[in-house]
Amino acid sequence: MQTAIVTSSYRGDFERCRLLCESIDRRVTGHTRHLILVESRDVALFRSLAGPRREIVDERDLLPFWLRPFPDPLSLGRRRFWLSPKGPPLRGWHVQQLRRIAMAAALDETVMVSVDSDVVFLRPFDVGWFHESEKVRFYRRPGALAALEPGAREEHRKWSRKAGQLLGIDRPQETDTGYIATLIAWRSDTVREMLGRFESRTGRSWASALAATRTLSECTLYGRFVDEIEARPDRHSPGDINLCHMYWTGQALGAEALHDFAADLEPHQVAAGIQSFTGTDPALIRRAAGLA
C-alpha cells in the first residue's frame, strides 16, 4: 500500500520538526513522501525543510476560507487563534487536527502515517509495518481511559462523547478505549467515509461540523468510527502496540535524563517524543538522538 507520512506543525516547533525530518531521512523507509502542514505565515520558514520527498503544505489549501488565524492579544500576539462564523475560537492544536483530517481525505496514497512534530525516530523503521496483508494496523487500547489521572480521564471521555454525537452513536455514549498515539496510521478511504458520515448526520460540511466545537480529538473520531460504524474488518487489524515512547509533562530534561529516556525504549518502540511544552532544549534532544 502506498503510504504518506504527515506532520502538522507550527513555527514554535520548527527546530523539533527539523529533528523529525532528519531522523526520517536517516532512519525511515517505505513512504512515498512526507507532508508538513502549516499555517500560511509559516510556509516560508518551513520551506527550508522541503526536499525531493518532503512537501510543505499551506493550510489554506486544506481548510475552508471562513476559518482564519489571528494574533491573540492576550498573549501580545505570541499565540494564535482561529476565528470562524461556525463556532467558538479554535486554538492551534484544534486546527492542526483539522489539517490532518483534511490531508488524509485528500491523499492519493492508501495510508497516512501521522507523526507529531516533537517526535524523533531513534531506530530504523519501515512504514510497511503498518500494512498487514490488505489491512492497516489500527491503534486501539481497551481500558486506556480508566487508567488515566482523573482530570485527563474526564477530558478524554468528553472527546469520546463528542465523537459519539458527531457519528450518531447513541449507545454507548462514551467508551474507555484509547485511540490516541503520536505515531499511528489511518486509511484515506476510511477517513473519506467518516467525513461523509459527519455530513449526513449534521447536514453540514464536515469542516463546519468539527469547527463548531473545541471538544475535539481526531484520533478518537477515527477510532470510534472504525470500531463502531465502519464494520469493515477487511480494512483494519486492531492492536495496542505503541511505537513511540513519550514524555508528556514535567520539567525540562537535561542531557543525562534525555540519554536515559532514549535508552528506555521498549523493544517494539522505534521513536521517542518530548512534548514541546516541557521546554526541553532541541539541541540536547539532537545529541541524545544521535543526530548531532
Side-chain angles (χ1 to χ4, degrees):
M1 299 180 188
Q2 286 200 320
T3 300
I5 300 174
V6 170
T7 300
S8 194
S9 192
Y10 76 111
R11 62 176 52 195
D13 261 5
F14 177 74
E15 289 301 328
R16 293 174 180 83
C17 192
R18 186 199 298 275
L19 288 176
L20 169 66
C21 293
E22 292 177 17
S23 71
I24 289 174
D25 293 344
R26 187 177 297 190
R27 295 167 179 154
V28 180
T29 56
H31 56 291
T32 57
R33 52 186 175 152
H34 179 203
L35 303 165
I36 302 176
L37 322 178
V38 296
E39 181 189 348
S40 295
R41 70 167 185 160
D42 292 344
V43 169
L45 173 65
F46 278 81
R47 194 168 285 135
S48 65
L49 303 180
R53 289 202 298 164
R54 179 166 295 113
E55 303 168 30
I56 311 304
V57 180
D58 188 330
E59 73 174 17
R60 293 274 53 88
D61 295 330
L62 297 171
L63 301 180
F65 71 91
W66 43 258
L67 183 61
R68 294 283 180 172
F70 295 90
D72 180 357
L74 298 179
S75 68
L76 301 179
R78 290 190 301 272
R79 300 179 65 186
R80 310 279 278 175
F81 57 77
W82 276 251
L83 297 180
S84 84
K86 311 295 182 178
L90 301 179
R91 287 296 182 187
W93 70 276
H94 298 111
V95 177
Q96 287 191 27
Q97 295 185 65
L98 298 182
R99 292 181 203 147
R100 277 192 287 264
I101 292 170
M103 190 74 257
L107 281 179
D108 293 326
E109 288 88 349
T110 304
V111 180
M112 181 185 86
V113 170
S114 176
V115 56
D116 288 358
S117 60
D118 50 13
V119 167
V120 178
F121 285 89
L122 300 181
R123 293 172 174 164
F125 179 63
D126 192 295
V127 298
W129 181 89
F130 285 109
H131 313 157
E132 194 169 56
S133 185
E134 296 301 313
K135 301 180 182 182
V136 172
R137 290 181 188 258
F138 163 56
Y139 180 76
R140 68 186 304 276
R141 178 162 288 185
L145 273 59
L148 296 174
E149 293 295 323
R153 183 189 313 142
E154 181 53 31
E155 184 173 32
H156 281 69
R157 286 180 172 165
K158 286 179 180 177
W159 293 338
S160 184
R161 287 195 295 273
K162 176 56 69 172
Q165 292 166 11
L166 287 164
L167 291 166
I169 301 171
D170 296 324
R171 295 180 184 276
Q173 290 186 335
E174 64 186 50
T175 78
D176 272 338
T177 302
Y179 302 103
I180 299 173
T182 53
L183 176 55
I184 57 172
W186 290 357
R187 291 184 63 112
S188 53
D189 51 5
T190 294
V191 171
R192 288 188 283 269
E193 291 177 16
M194 177 182 74
L195 301 189
R197 173 83 176 187
F198 293 156
E199 293 178 347
S200 65
R201 289 287 307 174
T202 65
R204 310 165 70 180
S205 72
W206 71 265
S208 178
L210 297 188
T213 179
R214 292 166 61 96
T215 304
L216 187 63
S217 163
E218 83 277 39
C219 294
T220 305
L221 290 168
Y222 185 88
R224 292 203 69 180
F225 180 78
V226 171
D227 258 353
E228 301 170 69
I229 300 294
E230 185 181 49
R232 290 289 302 273
D234 57 306
R235 284 187 175 180
H236 291 93
S237 176
D240 64 355
I241 296 176
N242 192 333
L243 296 173
C244 188
H245 182 37
M246 283 297 300
Y247 180 69
W248 289 109
T249 60
Q251 63 184 7
L253 297 181
E256 185 176 351
L258 277 169
H259 178 272
D260 292 342
F261 183 80
D264 198 34
L265 265 66
E266 297 291 336
H268 61 271
Q269 292 179 320
V270 298
I274 311 295
Q275 227 289 334
S276 58
F277 293 127
T278 66
T280 301
D281 185 350
L284 295 179
I285 298 173
R286 175 182 294 281
R287 287 199 287 272
L291 296 171

